[in-house]
Every structure is written in structure tokens, then in C-alpha cells.
């Protein structure tokens, strides 16, 4: 059953996005997560939507922002009664990175100007089952593990339920707050205050309720009519490793080729 709005915590993606809309707080949380300096954020866009076609399902990023050198996407991820495998987090992270790159290129800039990209998943479960406090991925050469591709992308999955003794000092306060709502210092005190302010925001309450109603409508339509052909195609492309071509749906030949490849009429 869906939570009432006043029951939402930082561990719920809707509330996480709204609370992180505070530019200073978002900046400080990113620095704490990455253990490195983050530049002044130009813009923070909670629940940022990208739509590739007029009829397609939008892609929503919980917290999307950038500084002068990097683009950041931070996601609050729960299992939501699904298996870890069903969530497809590795492919989802690839899709989100391609979404950020496409957004940058759509501004008329060259791929040579692509900023570094950080896709960050705060998970309320162990995403890979190995017990690490976090899992960090970059593109490395198989033949020489010391050789990094240096394409500027990194994907980090944070295991907020890791054993306390395995959690590095910089993440303990954050993990405790996400997992148990425990305020342990200045950062989580400010996060908790942001959550309290968000709960009092009637506009956001209304937005949340509309989303719940929309989700109910979508599920009902799905039971009666099944998924739309376009959504089936997008899901098939993500599973089949062609997520980077979704942004090219405006080209008829690409769309035709993908439909043929995945057997979608």
C-alpha cells in the first residue's frame, strides 16, 4: 500500500528529490557521498523528466544537477516488492548516463565538450549481495586493469544496509539517517529539516497525490489493455543493450530497425 504523504521519509524517492532541491544541502550531500570537492551547483532539478517521444513514457531522475565540470544524477532506490534482478540497476544506470549525455548534446554542444558524469544510487538494500558499503564502477581495460578508459563516467551504488563496521566514516551518518531516520550531525539535521519542510508543502502534497492516482490509472489500463507497443519496445531495447538508441527515435529508420529487431509491430 502506498504511504500517506506525511509518512514519507528521505528513503522515499519523491521525498528525496524534494528535500535535495535545496542547492546548498544537495551540494553538501554530494560532497559527503563522493569524498571530494564538488563545484558550485548551477541548478538542482528534483524529479527531472526527459521524454524521447510525444507518446513515450518519460524518464524521471530523482535529483539532477551539474557544476562546471560534472553532471550528477542521484537516485533513492528501494526494492518496492521487486527482486534485485528485476530492477536491472546496471542497465538502468547506463540508461541514465546516456540520458544525461543526450541532454547535454541537445543543447548544441559537441561530444568533445561532454562533462564528467556521476550516476549515484542510494540503495536501501545490498544491490550486488557482496556486503560492501558501496560499489564503484568505471570503464577499465580487461587486459590491463591499471588502464582506465577515462571517458569521464562513474557509477556508484551505495549499500545503506551494510554492516556498520564496513561503512566508511564519511557515510555512516548518511546511512543511519536513510536506514533508521537517526539524526547524527549537522548534515542529517539539515536533511531532516528539509524533509519536515517538504511535508508541510501543500503543493508537493497535491503533486504526490496526483502521482498516486496516475499510477493507479496506469496499472488499471495495463490490466485491461496491456502495455503499449512503444513501452514494450523501450523495455526490450534497455534489456537488449540498445538503450543508447532510444534518443534517436526521431529518425524513422532507427525506429523501424529497432521494431524489427525486437518483433514489435
Amino acid at each position: 500500500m502506498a504511504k500517506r504523504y506525511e509518512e514519507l521519509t528521505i528513503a522515499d524517492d519523491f521525498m528525496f528529490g524534494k528535500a535535495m532541491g535545496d542547492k546548498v544541502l544537495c551540494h553538501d550531500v554530494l560532497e559527503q557521498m563522493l569524498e571530494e570537492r564538488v563545484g558550485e551547483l548551477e541548478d538542482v532539478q528534483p524529479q527531472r523528466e526527459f521524454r524521447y517521444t510525444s507518446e513515450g513514457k518519460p524518464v524521471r531522475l530523482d535529483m539532477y544537477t551539474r557544476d562546471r565540470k560534472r553532471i550528477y544524477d542521484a537516485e533513492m532506490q528501494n526494492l518496492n516488492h521487486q527482486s534485485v534482478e528485476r530492477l536491472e540497476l546496471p542497465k538502468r544506470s547506463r540508461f541514465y548516463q546516456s540520458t544525461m549525455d543526450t541532454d547535454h548534446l541537445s543543447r548544441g554542444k559537441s561530444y568533445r565538450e561532454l562533462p564528467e558524469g556521476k550516476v549515484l544510487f542510494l540503495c536501501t538494500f545490498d544491490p550486488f549481495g557482496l556486503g560492501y558499503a558501496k560499489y564503484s564502477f568505471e570503464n577499465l581495460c580487461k587486459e590491463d586493469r591499471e588502464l582506465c578508459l577515462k571517458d569521464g563516467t562513474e557509477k556508484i551504488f551505495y549499500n545503506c544496509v551494510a554492516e556498520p563496521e564496513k561503512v566508511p566514516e564519511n557515510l555512516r551518518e548518511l546511512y543511519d539517517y536513510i536506514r533508521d531516520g537517526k539524526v547524527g550531525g549537522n548534515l542529517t539535521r539539515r536533511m531532516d529539516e528539509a524533509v519536515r519542510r517538504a511535508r508541510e508543502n501543500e503543493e508537493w502534497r497535491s503533486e504526490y497525490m496526483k502521482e498516486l492516482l496516475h499510477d493507479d490509472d496506469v496499472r488499471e489500463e495495463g490490466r485491461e489493455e496491456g502495455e503499449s507497443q512503444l513501452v514494450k519496445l523501450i523495455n526490450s531495447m534497455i534489456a537488449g543493450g540498445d538503450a543508447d538508441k532510444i534518443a534517436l527515435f526521431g529518425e524513422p529508420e532507427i525506429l523501424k530497425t529497432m521494431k524489427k529487431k525486437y518483433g514489435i509491430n
Side-chain angles (χ1 to χ4, degrees), residues 8-39:
L8 297 181
T9 70
I10 199 68
D12 295 291
D13 58 353
F14 185 91
M15 182 59 72
F16 174 75
K18 296 305 185 186
M20 289 301 100
D22 181 312
K23 188 183 295 187
V24 176
L25 177 60
C26 181
H27 172 275
D28 293 348
V29 170
L30 287 174
E31 283 200 337
Q32 195 78 3
M33 293 170 65
L34 296 170
E35 289 188 274
E36 58 187 74
R37 295 295 299 273
V38 171

Short mmCIF file of all heavy atoms in Angstrom, two decimals, residues 8-39:
data_model
loop_
_atom_site.label_atom_id
_atom_site.label_comp_id
_atom_site.label_asym_id
_atom_site.label_seq_id
_atom_site.Cartn_x
_atom_site.Cartn_y
_atom_site.Cartn_z
N LEU A 8 6.11 9.96 4.37
CA LEU A 8 7.30 9.84 3.53
C LEU A 8 8.56 10.25 4.29
O LEU A 8 8.54 11.19 5.09
CB LEU A 8 7.16 10.72 2.28
CG LEU A 8 6.04 10.36 1.31
CD1 LEU A 8 6.06 11.32 0.12
CD2 LEU A 8 6.15 8.92 0.83
N THR A 9 9.65 9.54 4.04
CA THR A 9 10.94 9.86 4.64
C THR A 9 11.94 10.09 3.52
O THR A 9 11.63 9.97 2.33
CB THR A 9 11.44 8.69 5.52
OG1 THR A 9 11.80 7.58 4.68
CG2 THR A 9 10.35 8.24 6.50
N ILE A 10 13.18 10.39 3.91
CA ILE A 10 14.23 10.62 2.91
C ILE A 10 14.47 9.38 2.07
O ILE A 10 15.00 9.46 0.96
CB ILE A 10 15.54 11.07 3.61
CG1 ILE A 10 16.49 11.76 2.62
CG2 ILE A 10 16.22 9.88 4.29
CD1 ILE A 10 16.02 13.10 2.13
N ALA A 11 14.08 8.21 2.57
CA ALA A 11 14.29 6.95 1.85
C ALA A 11 13.26 6.73 0.74
O ALA A 11 13.36 5.75 -0.01
CB ALA A 11 14.28 5.77 2.82
N ASP A 12 12.27 7.61 0.63
CA ASP A 12 11.29 7.54 -0.46
C ASP A 12 11.74 8.48 -1.57
O ASP A 12 12.09 9.63 -1.31
CB ASP A 12 9.90 7.94 0.05
CG ASP A 12 9.37 6.96 1.09
OD1 ASP A 12 9.06 5.82 0.72
OD2 ASP A 12 9.30 7.35 2.28
N ASP A 13 11.73 7.99 -2.79
CA ASP A 13 12.33 8.76 -3.88
C ASP A 13 11.67 10.13 -4.08
O ASP A 13 12.36 11.11 -4.36
CB ASP A 13 12.33 7.97 -5.20
CG ASP A 13 10.95 7.53 -5.65
OD1 ASP A 13 9.98 7.72 -4.89
OD2 ASP A 13 10.85 6.96 -6.75
N PHE A 14 10.35 10.21 -3.91
CA PHE A 14 9.68 11.50 -4.08
C PHE A 14 10.20 12.51 -3.05
O PHE A 14 10.55 13.64 -3.40
CB PHE A 14 8.17 11.33 -3.94
CG PHE A 14 7.39 12.59 -4.22
CD1 PHE A 14 6.94 12.88 -5.50
CD2 PHE A 14 7.10 13.50 -3.20
CE1 PHE A 14 6.22 14.05 -5.77
CE2 PHE A 14 6.39 14.66 -3.45
CZ PHE A 14 5.95 14.94 -4.74
N MET A 15 10.26 12.10 -1.79
CA MET A 15 10.73 12.99 -0.73
C MET A 15 12.21 13.30 -0.89
O MET A 15 12.64 14.44 -0.66
CB MET A 15 10.46 12.38 0.64
CG MET A 15 10.86 13.26 1.80
SD MET A 15 10.00 14.87 1.80
CE MET A 15 8.33 14.36 2.27
N PHE A 16 13.00 12.33 -1.29
CA PHE A 16 14.42 12.56 -1.51
C PHE A 16 14.63 13.65 -2.54
O PHE A 16 15.42 14.58 -2.35
CB PHE A 16 15.09 11.26 -1.97
CG PHE A 16 16.53 11.42 -2.37
CD1 PHE A 16 17.53 11.58 -1.41
CD2 PHE A 16 16.91 11.40 -3.71
CE1 PHE A 16 18.86 11.73 -1.77
CE2 PHE A 16 18.23 11.55 -4.08
CZ PHE A 16 19.21 11.71 -3.11
N GLY A 17 13.91 13.57 -3.65
CA GLY A 17 14.04 14.58 -4.69
C GLY A 17 13.67 15.96 -4.21
O GLY A 17 14.37 16.94 -4.49
N LYS A 18 12.57 16.07 -3.47
CA LYS A 18 12.12 17.37 -2.99
C LYS A 18 13.10 17.95 -1.97
O LYS A 18 13.43 19.14 -2.00
CB LYS A 18 10.72 17.27 -2.39
CG LYS A 18 9.64 16.87 -3.39
CD LYS A 18 9.60 17.80 -4.59
CE LYS A 18 8.43 17.47 -5.52
NZ LYS A 18 8.46 18.27 -6.76
N ALA A 19 13.56 17.12 -1.03
CA ALA A 19 14.48 17.61 0.00
C ALA A 19 15.80 18.04 -0.61
O ALA A 19 16.41 19.04 -0.18
CB ALA A 19 14.71 16.52 1.05
N MET A 20 16.26 17.33 -1.62
CA MET A 20 17.54 17.67 -2.25
C MET A 20 17.43 18.85 -3.19
O MET A 20 18.40 19.26 -3.82
CB MET A 20 18.09 16.46 -3.01
CG MET A 20 18.58 15.32 -2.13
SD MET A 20 19.90 15.81 -0.99
CE MET A 20 18.96 16.03 0.52
N GLY A 21 16.23 19.43 -3.34
CA GLY A 21 16.07 20.63 -4.15
C GLY A 21 16.76 21.84 -3.55
O GLY A 21 16.95 22.85 -4.24
N ASP A 22 17.14 21.76 -2.29
CA ASP A 22 17.92 22.80 -1.63
C ASP A 22 19.34 22.73 -2.17
O ASP A 22 20.06 21.75 -1.93
CB ASP A 22 17.89 22.57 -0.11
CG ASP A 22 18.66 23.63 0.66
OD1 ASP A 22 19.81 23.94 0.28
OD2 ASP A 22 18.14 24.11 1.67
N LYS A 23 19.78 23.75 -2.89
CA LYS A 23 21.06 23.71 -3.60
C LYS A 23 22.25 23.50 -2.65
O LYS A 23 23.15 22.71 -2.95
CB LYS A 23 21.26 24.98 -4.42
CG LYS A 23 22.47 24.94 -5.33
CD LYS A 23 22.67 26.27 -6.08
CE LYS A 23 21.54 26.54 -7.04
NZ LYS A 23 21.84 27.74 -7.89
N VAL A 24 22.26 24.19 -1.53
CA VAL A 24 23.38 24.08 -0.59
C VAL A 24 23.39 22.70 0.05
O VAL A 24 24.44 22.05 0.17
CB VAL A 24 23.30 25.17 0.50
CG1 VAL A 24 24.40 24.99 1.53
CG2 VAL A 24 23.40 26.55 -0.15
N LEU A 25 22.24 22.22 0.46
CA LEU A 25 22.15 20.89 1.06
C LEU A 25 22.55 19.82 0.06
O LEU A 25 23.31 18.90 0.38
CB LEU A 25 20.73 20.64 1.56
CG LEU A 25 20.46 19.25 2.15
CD1 LEU A 25 21.37 18.99 3.35
CD2 LEU A 25 18.98 19.11 2.55
N CYS A 26 22.06 19.94 -1.17
CA CYS A 26 22.40 18.97 -2.22
C CYS A 26 23.91 18.93 -2.44
O CYS A 26 24.52 17.86 -2.55
CB CYS A 26 21.68 19.34 -3.51
SG CYS A 26 22.00 18.22 -4.88
N HIS A 27 24.52 20.10 -2.49
CA HIS A 27 25.97 20.20 -2.67
C HIS A 27 26.70 19.46 -1.56
O HIS A 27 27.62 18.68 -1.80
CB HIS A 27 26.37 21.67 -2.69
CG HIS A 27 27.84 21.92 -2.67
ND1 HIS A 27 28.58 21.95 -1.50
CD2 HIS A 27 28.73 22.15 -3.68
CE1 HIS A 27 29.84 22.18 -1.78
NE2 HIS A 27 29.96 22.30 -3.09
N ASP A 28 26.27 19.68 -0.31
CA ASP A 28 26.97 19.09 0.82
C ASP A 28 26.76 17.58 0.89
O ASP A 28 27.67 16.83 1.28
CB ASP A 28 26.51 19.75 2.12
CG ASP A 28 26.92 21.21 2.19
OD1 ASP A 28 27.75 21.64 1.36
OD2 ASP A 28 26.41 21.94 3.06
N VAL A 29 25.58 17.11 0.51
CA VAL A 29 25.33 15.66 0.48
C VAL A 29 26.21 15.01 -0.58
O VAL A 29 26.80 13.94 -0.35
CB VAL A 29 23.84 15.37 0.23
CG1 VAL A 29 23.62 13.88 -0.05
CG2 VAL A 29 23.00 15.80 1.42
N LEU A 30 26.32 15.63 -1.75
CA LEU A 30 27.17 15.08 -2.81
C LEU A 30 28.63 15.01 -2.36
O LEU A 30 29.32 14.00 -2.60
CB LEU A 30 27.05 15.93 -4.08
CG LEU A 30 25.76 15.79 -4.88
CD1 LEU A 30 25.74 16.80 -6.02
CD2 LEU A 30 25.60 14.38 -5.43
N GLU A 31 29.11 16.05 -1.72
CA GLU A 31 30.49 16.03 -1.23
C GLU A 31 30.69 14.91 -0.21
O GLU A 31 31.74 14.24 -0.21
CB GLU A 31 30.85 17.38 -0.61
CG GLU A 31 31.14 18.47 -1.61
CD GLU A 31 31.93 19.62 -1.04
OE1 GLU A 31 31.90 19.82 0.19
OE2 GLU A 31 32.59 20.35 -1.82
N GLN A 32 29.72 14.70 0.64
CA GLN A 32 29.83 13.64 1.65
C GLN A 32 29.85 12.27 0.98
O GLN A 32 30.63 11.38 1.38
CB GLN A 32 28.65 13.73 2.62
CG GLN A 32 28.82 12.94 3.90
CD GLN A 32 29.71 13.64 4.90
OE1 GLN A 32 30.17 14.75 4.65
NE2 GLN A 32 29.97 13.00 6.03
N MET A 33 29.04 12.08 -0.02
CA MET A 33 28.96 10.80 -0.72
C MET A 33 30.22 10.51 -1.52
O MET A 33 30.72 9.38 -1.54
CB MET A 33 27.74 10.77 -1.65
CG MET A 33 26.40 10.79 -0.93
SD MET A 33 25.02 11.04 -2.07
CE MET A 33 25.11 9.53 -3.06
N LEU A 34 30.76 11.53 -2.17
CA LEU A 34 31.88 11.33 -3.10
C LEU A 34 33.25 11.49 -2.44
O LEU A 34 34.26 11.14 -3.04
CB LEU A 34 31.75 12.32 -4.27
CG LEU A 34 30.52 12.13 -5.15
CD1 LEU A 34 30.38 13.31 -6.12
CD2 LEU A 34 30.61 10.82 -5.93
N GLU A 35 33.27 12.06 -1.24
CA GLU A 35 34.54 12.31 -0.54
C GLU A 35 35.49 13.17 -1.37
O GLU A 35 36.70 12.94 -1.41
CB GLU A 35 35.24 10.99 -0.18
CG GLU A 35 34.60 10.18 0.90
CD GLU A 35 35.47 9.01 1.30
OE1 GLU A 35 35.36 7.96 0.63
OE2 GLU A 35 36.27 9.13 2.24
N GLU A 36 34.94 14.15 -2.05
CA GLU A 36 35.75 15.07 -2.83
C GLU A 36 34.99 16.37 -3.02
O GLU A 36 33.78 16.44 -2.80
CB GLU A 36 36.11 14.45 -4.18
CG GLU A 36 34.92 14.06 -5.03
CD GLU A 36 35.32 13.31 -6.28
OE1 GLU A 36 35.69 12.13 -6.20
OE2 GLU A 36 35.26 13.93 -7.36
N ARG A 37 35.72 17.38 -3.43
CA ARG A 37 35.09 18.69 -3.61
C ARG A 37 34.13 18.67 -4.79
O ARG A 37 34.42 18.09 -5.84
CB ARG A 37 36.17 19.76 -3.84
CG ARG A 37 37.08 20.00 -2.66
CD ARG A 37 36.32 20.57 -1.48
NE ARG A 37 35.70 21.84 -1.77
CZ ARG A 37 36.31 23.01 -1.65
NH1 ARG A 37 37.58 23.08 -1.24
NH2 ARG A 37 35.68 24.14 -1.94
N VAL A 38 33.01 19.30 -4.60
CA VAL A 38 32.01 19.49 -5.65
C VAL A 38 31.93 20.99 -5.91
O VAL A 38 31.89 21.79 -4.96
CB VAL A 38 30.64 18.93 -5.23
CG1 VAL A 38 29.55 19.32 -6.23
CG2 VAL A 38 30.71 17.41 -5.08
N GLY A 39 31.91 21.38 -7.17
CA GLY A 39 31.83 22.80 -7.50
C GLY A 39 30.47 23.39 -7.15
O GLY A 39 29.54 22.67 -6.78
#
